[in-house]
Amino acid sequence: MITEPELVGGPDAGPRPEPPAAGERFRALARLPWVWALGGAVVASAVWAGGVHLVLGQGPDQRGYRLEHGACDDLRVPALAAEFGGRNAPADAASFHHDPALVTLECTLGLRPRAGARPGDTVVDVVTLSVEQHRKTDPGPEFAVRSRRAPLHAPGLADELPLSEVRGPADGAYYGSGATDGFGWARLAVLDGGVVLTLDVRPTVRPPEGADDGPSRAPDLSGVRQDVLTADMRSLMEQLKR
């Protein structure tokens, strides 16, 4: 015979127990080990996030660079000097600008004139080192975009010359070179932490005074090869960290 199901806690089961108070529920929950593990993970995450924020708040790694007035005076480019000759000090120029977010330095290092390929021609090589020390923001994301092409102002050359990514002395590097009648150009750009360094060499052919034998020949670029500029860039980076 089928009977009606018995209901638990029906009218005859007596009064229902009162639910535990909020304090008792908390104490009971606190006795569970996984609650403490979860709480510790949350606290640890908060501390880790705070630590990352503090580290990031310090700005990009400056790698020990010390840019200051007079930094250009004693800079040397031994690899280029071996190819072309020593510095021509009277041709040097320098600029320095300091800001809490960005420090910039530009050094022009003239080399002694050398003989050109055509009798009577003189080649003047001008070396320019530009340094940007980013103290607040990381230049890394923009480095590749800015370094793939170099603006030029020279007859016979495009307004911009492409640079190729190369193996360099730091976090990233781009190199390129080109030549036309009477003018040459080579550049190595390097990213080192929060510092961007650019080394330019511009050989220019000057014909003898009064000569009218047509356009000058393009200067020889063998002395501004990638390995030459890389060697001097390594040297300059070390010199600027002293």
Side-chain angles (χ1 to χ4, degrees), residues 17-84:
E18 293 292 334
E24 295 178 0
R25 290 199 302 270
F26 176 79
R27 285 191 292 272
L29 187 62
R31 286 194 293 270
L32 299 176
W34 61 268
V35 174
W36 288 106
L38 178 62
V42 172
V43 173
S45 298
V47 171
W48 180 87
V52 170
H53 176 73
L54 290 176
V55 172
L56 294 179
Q58 295 176 358
D61 188 354
Q62 300 303 304
R63 305 285 171 89
Y65 284 91
R66 299 175 59 185
L67 305 186
E68 55 191 6
H69 284 287
C72 298
D73 294 345
D74 298 321
L75 290 182
R76 300 177 306 280
V77 282
L80 285 168
E83 293 286 339
F84 300 139

